[in-house]
Amino acid sequence: MMSIELALRNVRKNLREYTVYFLTLTFGVCVFYSFNAIESQQAIMGASASNGRVFKEFTQIIGIVSVFVSIILGLLILYANRFLIRRRKKEFGVYLTLGMNRGQISRILIGETVLVGLFSLAAGLALGVSLSQGMAVLTAKLMKVPVERLQFVFSAQSLIKTVVYFGVVFGLLLVFNAFMISRQKLIDLLYADRRSEWFKTPKLAQSVVVFVISLVCLGWAYGTVLTGGTAKVLDSASLRYVILAGVVGTFLFFFSLSGFLLKVFQQTKSVYLKGLNAFVLRQLSSKINTAYVSITMVCLMLFVSICTLCAGLGLSTSISQELRRGTPFDATFSTAARSNQAEGSYSGVDLPAALAQIGLPLGSVASQSLVVRYYEAGLTVPLMVRENGFEQRHEAKTYLLKLSDYNAVLRLMGQAPIALSPGHYAINYAVANAAMKRATQEYVDSRPTIAVNGVTLSAGPDTFHDNVMEVLQNQDYKMTLVVPDHLVTGLAPARDALHLNYLDPKDRSESLVQQAHPLLRAELKVDVSLWTRQEVEAFGNSTSVLVAYVAIYLGIVFLIASAAVLAIGQLSEMSDSLSRYGALRKIGVEDKMLNRSIFAQVLVYFGLPMALAAVHSVIGVAIAEQVVSAFDKGSVLGSSLFTAAVLLIVYGGYFLATYQGGKAMLRRQYAQSRRGVD
Amino acid sequence: MTSQQMPEGAVPPVILEVQDVVKLYGGKGNLTKALNGISFAVAAGEFVGIMGASGSGKTTLLNCISTIDTATSGRILIGGSDITSMKQSDLSRFRRESLGFIFQDFNLLDTLTGYENIALALTILRRSPREIDRRVKAVAAVLGISQVLKKFPYQMSGGQRQRVASARAIVTEPTLVLADEPTGALDSKSAKELLENFQSLVRQRAATILMVTHDAFSASHCDRILFIRDGQLFHQVVRGGSSRKSFFDQIMQVISLLGGDANDVD
Ligand SMILES: Nc1ncnc2c1ncn2[C@@H]1O[C@H](COP(=O)(O)OP(=O)(O)OP(=O)(O)O)[C@@H](O)[C@H]1O
Ligand SMILES: [Mg+2]
């Protein structure tokens, strides 16, 4: 219990050192809880069936991502902890010489860890629960669902999960710390703050050579992407070399940077011998010189973070737009053989009649309606799909559609009908995937002939269309061969579709149609599916919100991790350098000047990895644009702005906290050095 | 006890005046009177030594004069202006421009080379690179540390570090140099060289030096020795026209007296 008291006192004494650690833990817990508690947000929304399903998926995906996130946060906590321990080694050495045993020291450390852990867990959960309230309203707004009742949103499940995950991390931390203490020799503990030959500057020639190599690596990677075009990079196997060159180049860049910069500035005497510049440059170079591994990691993490945010948000917008493509009408009923029925058994149904049969004549819900029949001709079209460096043959199943039906659909969609010259066919394939689309175009360009019902048809000049011709959520559009009307006679029907545009009020029509669906399924002995515009749009909105949330979740965690690594590194460096600032003050350097030198150091230290990461990201986002086939160009700007705002808040926040923390350390040291009685 | 005894026939102006300075350390429970109403004056161009037992308040006195620390009460006048009532930024400027300080524990920056350490005193005065280079090299030649300018402090011997610290203190040609045991880590030969440097600094550049020392040999290079006990001026010896040898004997005499009953002297 004496240990507990000592632990409490220690935490209070070292509060400043713990601040960034504590903040990071709290943020981590808060973000972890909020995103895992997403399912509970449903409470404030109308529980429509499709939303329920989306929230289930949400929770599952966030759950998987959270495992990954907890590993990142766990590693981050270990890293921060290592710095705290390093700072305290000497103190522990003194305890040991005072006759305390290692068990007691371990207990002090356990006490401190548990204390800080409990505090930050509590604070993070409190923050997370309050954040969830606002997030729930935002989610509802983004999903375009009405907020039905404002009520307290709380997820016990997420709370337990957060406590368990972070409990495990802290458990590991305790074991790690106890192990560290038990292994250390007393002499190492006592002289932990003795630094030896850390300030050896690397040879200039060596720095320059490595620096040039790093620029070559990065230049090659950028050049390959930019000149070859991202599509080519993705299609060939060189992507992994580009990534490798990027990582190696980044590492070598930071590895050689300090020596290189220092030499360059040392040559420029008018800069080097001005004010505290020599001191600041030496500080930075010794810092970068010893921390290039973590700076490289931070740079790559920032890169991932920026790309995740940018691309994820872009993807999210394009998803909802893509899904909206799938709503040319208010609703589509479609019938086909049930999966357990034999293939040839479907003989077609009269959907308007069946609806009238169950008490819903078309006139009571639809202002416009259209019946379309697809025919089976046993046709497949071979497509050569090239994607991510692989080439694959894909047999696209094709149904037949009469030209008059096709034109009726086009007219209903408000588009001009097409004309087919005799002996020609047209293909309609609404596929969104760029590679599939390219393959289809290539197929059509090769002008193949197709035999239908014994007649050979050829491709005309304007053969390939990609109209979405029905309301469908999963975007599993089938290829359709449009042929002259007379060619389908005698062919077996494959499926029937009934497209509807509702009578006002649309909500009433929607609910009548939804009610009719199960009745129709019971009435007809075939598979009946129904998709409505409202369903697809709700799904689209919520899916895009899901994607955006996962991107923000990951992006912010990476951002917190990288900013915290920098902040902890810089603050620990700062506290190691306090005696140097003391010496500077004694020879007459003003506080203003000292503060400016701290600012310069923090700025360079935070700015360097961010600058390189930003340059990387321009390329990264370009690649992401290619991966996400239907990436919307306009949305890139929006998501870039959002990303910039998030960066500014999180990264800028850590930057300021580090600068203020450094200044506070300086002030405290000053006050300590002259705590006389006045 | 606190009366001022100026050297006979002193014409040069008083550059430093310490008036009844008190410095208290600690809280209510354990109060330490590091300085207990000390008063003296130093004329421009004087080389003054300060001696006293460990813990008698020598470093504290220098810290108060150098404005690194503030006196609890009393006045300290340098060049006529009262530094105890100066603003923080004026104090920093004063330290930069008019003071050179050689610390008991060197206070060199371990991340900077010898050259950069010395240059620092000039760079914060915003001198031109050419002037900085010239002055650093000149002072290094005088103190015999030209070979260690490229080295970092951890690569230097204790004596070299001490001389680099001294070089940093005098490179700006300050009006007042405060030195806290600058010869502590030097062998007798380098100690002698450093002291002779100080003497020439006093003679040629009319600098004023206040040097704390434990060692009578070092003290014998001074013009005057102030003896401090329990935070008060206890005695002082003036060299006058006597030789270094006889001044040394005089100092040894006081030291032996200091070891005995203090009331016998005075
Ligand atoms: N920061 C401080 N806090 C509390 N007491 C202090 C502080 N600095 C000095 N003292 C006390 O003030 C007294 C004078 O200390 P000072 O360092 O001036 O001695 P000194 O004469 O320089 O000794 P030495 O010859 O050992 O360097 C001592 O008793 C010391 O314990
Ligand atoms: Mg001392």
Side-chain angles (χ1 to χ4, degrees):
Chain A
M1 37 175 202
M2 189 214 115
S3 310
I4 293 280
E5 265 171 46
L6 198 56
L8 242 175
R9 228 184 34 226
N10 279 338
V11 170
R12 215 176 310 138
K13 202 175 69 194
N14 296 311
L15 209 57
R16 282 228 176 61
E17 269 93 81
Y18 274 119
T19 308
V20 168
Y21 184 58
F22 179 76
L23 273 183
T24 304
L25 280 178
T26 307
F27 279 157
V29 169
C30 165
V31 170
F32 193 89
Y33 169 84
S34 312
F35 280 92
N36 278 287
I38 265 174
E39 202 170 8
S40 67
Q41 296 182 359
Q42 230 181 321
I44 70 159
M45 299 165 208
S48 93
S50 67
N51 273 342
R53 212 170 55 210
V54 170
F55 272 106
K56 272 241 137 43
E57 277 172 32
F58 246 38
T59 314
Q60 274 171 6
I61 292 175
I62 295 267
I64 296 165
V65 173
S66 287
V67 175
F68 183 57
V69 163
S70 64
I71 292 173
I72 297 177
L73 289 176
L75 287 175
L76 179 66
I77 293 169
L78 269 180
Y79 177 82
N81 174 71
R82 217 192 52 173
F83 268 102
L84 283 181
I85 299 272
R86 199 173 70 86
R87 296 253 313 114
R88 308 277 304 283
K89 271 187 182 168
K90 184 160 180 139
E91 184 185 332
F92 295 142
V94 173
Y95 289 156
L96 278 180
T97 48
L98 289 178
M100 239 187 229
N101 62 35
R102 284 169 203 276
Q104 281 168 309
I105 292 183
S106 282
R107 269 202 298 278
I108 294 175
L109 205 55
I110 288 173
E112 287 184 38
T113 315
V114 168
L115 219 61
V116 174
L118 284 179
F119 270 134
S120 47
L121 198 61
L125 284 173
L127 208 64
V129 170
S130 19
L131 188 70
S132 286
Q133 315 306 318
M135 209 162 122
V137 177
L138 182 73
T139 312
K141 221 171 125 62
L142 290 175
M143 287 188 173
K144 303 198 175 73
V145 258
V147 175
E148 291 213 332
R149 52 193 172 276
L150 268 180
Q151 65 168 51
F152 190 70
V153 174
F154 176 74
S155 163
Q157 216 182 340
S158 170
L159 180 96
I160 293 170
K161 190 171 170 184
T162 311
V163 171
V164 168
Y165 273 54
F166 279 85
V168 168
V169 169
F170 278 112
L172 286 174
L173 206 61
L174 289 183
V175 175
F176 177 80
N177 282 348
F179 179 71
M180 281 255 304
I181 288 298
S182 71
R183 253 191 23 176
Q184 292 286 335
K185 290 203 197 76
L186 179 55
I187 181 96
D188 294 336
L189 287 176
L190 274 178
Y191 296 110
D193 57 351
R194 288 271 167 97
R195 301 245 218 134
S196 50
E197 312 184 5
W198 278 24
F199 311 114
K200 257 196 198 141
T201 43
K203 297 245 181 314
L204 176 61
Q206 182 195 323
S207 298
V208 171
V209 169
V210 177
F211 192 70
V212 168
I213 294 177
S214 83
L215 291 186
V216 168
C217 278
L218 292 178
W220 179 79
Y222 289 170
T224 312
V225 174
L226 291 178
T227 59
T230 44
K232 202 165 143 206
V233 172
L234 287 173
D235 281 346
S236 69
S238 64
L239 181 62
R240 78 185 72 131
Y241 295 117
V242 168
I243 293 175
L244 189 70
V247 171
V248 170
T250 306
F251 175 80
L252 294 179
F253 181 80
F254 289 116
F255 178 74
S256 59
L257 185 70
S258 75
F260 184 73
L261 271 190
L262 189 66
K263 289 291 180 200
V264 167
F265 277 108
Q266 275 178 336
Q267 299 312 312
T268 331
K269 285 267 186 288
S270 58
V271 176
Y272 195 67
L273 290 178
K274 196 173 146 213
L276 291 180
N277 286 358
F279 171 73
V280 169
L281 277 163
R282 286 283 187 190
Q283 287 283 106
L284 278 171
S285 84
S286 84
K287 178 77 210 161
I288 299 174
N289 217 5
T290 49
Y292 55 86
V293 177
S294 63
I295 294 178
T296 306
M297 289 236 316
V298 164
C299 178
L300 295 177
M301 279 202 290
L302 282 173
F303 167 63
V304 171
S305 171
I306 295 173
C307 286
T308 312
L309 282 170
C310 250
L313 294 178
L315 177 62
S316 149
T317 343
S318 64
I319 280 179
S320 71
Q321 276 163 359
E322 184 57 35
L323 280 174
R324 208 150 296 155
R325 245 185 102 210
T327 56
F329 317 111
D330 280 339
T332 296
F333 277 105
S334 96
T335 55
R338 283 186 183 162
S339 53
N340 58 359
Q341 288 167 340
E343 226 173 78
S345 67
Y346 184 76
S347 54
V349 285
D350 184 354
L351 275 165
L355 277 172
Q357 189 82 37
I358 59 165
L360 190 74
L362 279 182
S364 65
V365 288
S367 61
Q368 287 175 304
S369 65
L370 176 67
V371 176
V372 172
R373 172 161 293 178
Y374 294 86
Y375 294 90
E376 173 70 79
L379 276 175
T380 59
V381 163
L383 301 178
M384 297 306 290
V385 184
R386 277 183 296 279
E387 200 170 20
N388 300 333
F390 295 102
E391 192 177 60
Q392 209 175 11
R393 193 184 158 92
H394 175 76
E395 296 287 341
K397 181 97 184 78
T398 306
Y399 297 97
L400 297 191
L401 187 63
K402 289 189 294 195
L403 177 64
S404 61
D405 272 3
Y406 185 64
N407 280 335
V409 172
L410 289 181
R411 257 194 301 275
L412 190 59
M413 295 195 301
Q415 289 189 25
I418 65 162
L420 268 189
S421 37
H424 283 90
Y425 64 87
I427 282 177
N428 189 80
Y429 197 21
V431 68
N433 180 296
M436 291 283 275
K437 215 171 200 161
R438 269 200 307 276
T440 312
Q441 188 63 51
E442 277 170 27
Y443 173 77
V444 171
D445 289 345
S446 73
R447 302 280 160 127
T449 56
I450 296 177
V452 176
N453 231 351
V455 178
T456 302
L457 298 173
S458 61
D462 179 29
T463 304
F464 178 29
H465 304 267
D466 63 350
N467 294 308
V468 174
M469 297 197 297
E470 60 190 308
V471 181
L472 189 62
Q473 185 196 68
N474 63 9
Q475 296 193 292
D476 183 20
Y477 305 116
K478 295 282 185 291
M479 187 184 274
T480 307
L481 201 67
V482 182
V483 296
D485 283 18
H486 65 271
L487 281 183
V488 301
T489 41
L491 290 179
R495 47 190 289 254
D496 290 289
L498 169 62
H499 306 305
L500 303 175
N501 279 330
Y502 290 153
L503 273 178
D504 286 329
K506 298 216 171 195
D507 280 347
R508 184 184 149 272
S509 301
E510 169 81 11
S511 71
L512 285 175
V513 164
Q514 290 287 1
Q515 282 162 20
H517 185 204
L519 297 175
L520 202 59
R521 199 177 262 164
E523 170 78 15
L524 298 168
K525 299 282 172 286
V526 293
D527 185 42
V528 183
S529 74
L530 166 69
W531 286 108
T532 70
R533 175 180 276 157
Q534 287 191 10
E535 276 175 345
V536 173
E537 282 183 352
F539 180 81
N541 287 333
S542 42
T543 309
S544 81
V545 172
L546 167 68
V547 172
Y549 274 17
V550 170
I552 294 173
Y553 183 32
L554 276 178
I556 287 186
V557 165
F558 272 115
L559 197 57
I560 290 178
S562 40
V565 165
L566 287 180
I568 292 164
Q570 181 61 35
L571 283 175
S572 85
E573 157 77 20
M574 182 71 206
S575 70
D576 286 342
S577 310
L578 276 180
S579 62
R580 294 177 201 144
Y581 290 98
L584 285 174
R585 178 144 33 206
K586 281 183 183 169
I587 64 169
V589 178
E590 277 169 52
D591 281 7
K592 224 168 56 194
M593 218 166 165
L594 289 180
N595 287 342
R596 237 183 292 142
S597 90
I598 294 176
F599 185 81
Q601 287 178 57
V602 178
L603 187 68
V604 173
Y605 194 54
F606 271 69
L608 271 182
M610 177 54 95
L612 191 57
V615 177
H616 283 1
S617 300
V618 173
I619 309 292
V621 171
I623 293 183
E625 271 182 52
Q626 288 290 319
V627 176
V628 184
S629 57
F631 209 83
D632 180 47
K633 298 282 179 205
S635 70
V636 175
L637 181 69
S639 49
S640 304
L641 285 179
F642 178 84
T643 307
V646 170
L647 284 181
L648 201 69
I649 293 169
V650 177
Y651 204 68
Y654 269 95
F655 171 86
L656 276 187
T658 309
Y659 175 51
Q660 296 298 345
K663 275 204 303 192
M665 270 188 200
L666 212 61
R667 267 201 307 277
R668 186 168 52 140
Q669 186 233 18
Y670 185 45
Q672 254 170 17
S673 74
R674 47 177 357 192
R675 46 154 194 240
V677 191
D678 288 302
Chain B
M1 171 88 63
T2 56
S3 65
Q4 294 164 20
Q5 287 171 291
M6 289 292 292
E8 283 130 86
V11 198
V14 170
I15 188 162
L16 168 69
E17 232 181 315
V18 175
Q19 296 176 352
D20 207 19
V21 166
V22 174
K23 176 68 187 180
L24 305 177
Y25 279 122
K28 290 178 184 75
N30 55 340
L31 204 68
T32 310
K33 281 191 175 175
L35 294 176
N36 192 11
I38 189 167
S39 299
F40 62 91
V42 176
E46 244 193 314
F47 186 3
V48 176
I50 297 177
M51 298 189 80
S54 181
S56 56
K58 303 181 297 291
T59 299
T60 308
L61 176 63
L62 285 200
N63 282 343
C64 287
I65 296 173
S66 68
T67 70
I68 285 169
D69 213 339
T70 45
T72 309
S73 71
R75 274 156 43 99
I76 298 171
L77 300 155
I78 296 181
S81 49
D82 185 359
I83 58 162
T84 52
S85 58
M86 264 193 210
K87 277 204 315 242
Q88 198 52 245
S89 54
D90 292 334
L91 286 177
S92 290
R93 190 159 49 86
F94 169 74
R95 278 207 294 276
R96 277 201 304 275
E97 290 173 358
S98 316
L99 273 188
F101 204 127
I102 304 166
F103 302 91
Q104 196 165 10
D105 48 4
F106 313 145
N107 262 315
L108 291 177
L109 289 156
D110 52 357
T111 39
L112 300 185
T113 62
Y115 182 96
E116 289 161 359
N117 261 293
I118 301 170
L120 194 63
L122 294 167
T123 62
I124 58 176
L125 287 177
R126 308 247 170 228
R127 294 291 153 81
S128 74
R130 186 179 301 173
E131 184 191 345
I132 292 174
D133 194 57
R134 183 175 51 76
R135 287 229 222 164
V136 170
K137 284 184 176 146
V139 78
V142 169
L143 290 178
I145 44 171
S146 301
Q147 291 77 33
V148 298
L149 285 182
K150 285 209 164 74
K151 289 186 175 177
F152 288 96
Y154 73 89
Q155 297 165 318
M156 300 174 192
S157 74
Q160 287 167 338
R161 255 176 262 175
Q162 186 66 283
R163 275 180 281 167
V164 171
S166 306
R168 184 180 64 186
I170 62 177
V171 74
T172 55
E173 300 184 350
T175 40
L176 183 60
V177 176
L178 303 170
D180 199 348
E181 292 199 43
T183 54
L186 302 184
D187 60 54
S188 56
K189 182 171 166 286
S190 2
K192 194 159 172 284
E193 277 168 14
L194 182 66
L195 290 163
E196 281 164 3
N197 281 320
F198 281 178
Q199 280 179 323
S200 67
L201 201 68
V202 169
R203 285 196 199 108
Q204 289 162 19
R205 294 181 185 166
T208 311
I209 299 179
L210 204 60
M211 175 181 78
V212 167
T213 180
H214 271 127
D215 143 52
F217 173 77
S218 298
S220 68
H221 287 79
C222 299
D223 301 328
R224 180 159 63 117
I225 306 294
L226 305 174
F227 291 91
I228 293 182
R229 198 169 74 173
D230 299 333
Q232 285 179 317
L233 186 64
F234 159 79
H235 189 68
Q236 63 172 319
V237 189
V238 182
R239 181 166 176 180
S242 55
S243 70
R244 201 184 61 68
K245 182 75 186 73
S246 72
F247 190 43
F248 176 79
D249 292 338
Q250 248 177 304
I251 294 166
M252 287 307 287
Q253 222 176 334
V254 179
I255 290 174
S256 61
L257 278 173
L258 261 170
D261 194 348
N263 293 331
D264 293 354
V265 207
D266 212 17

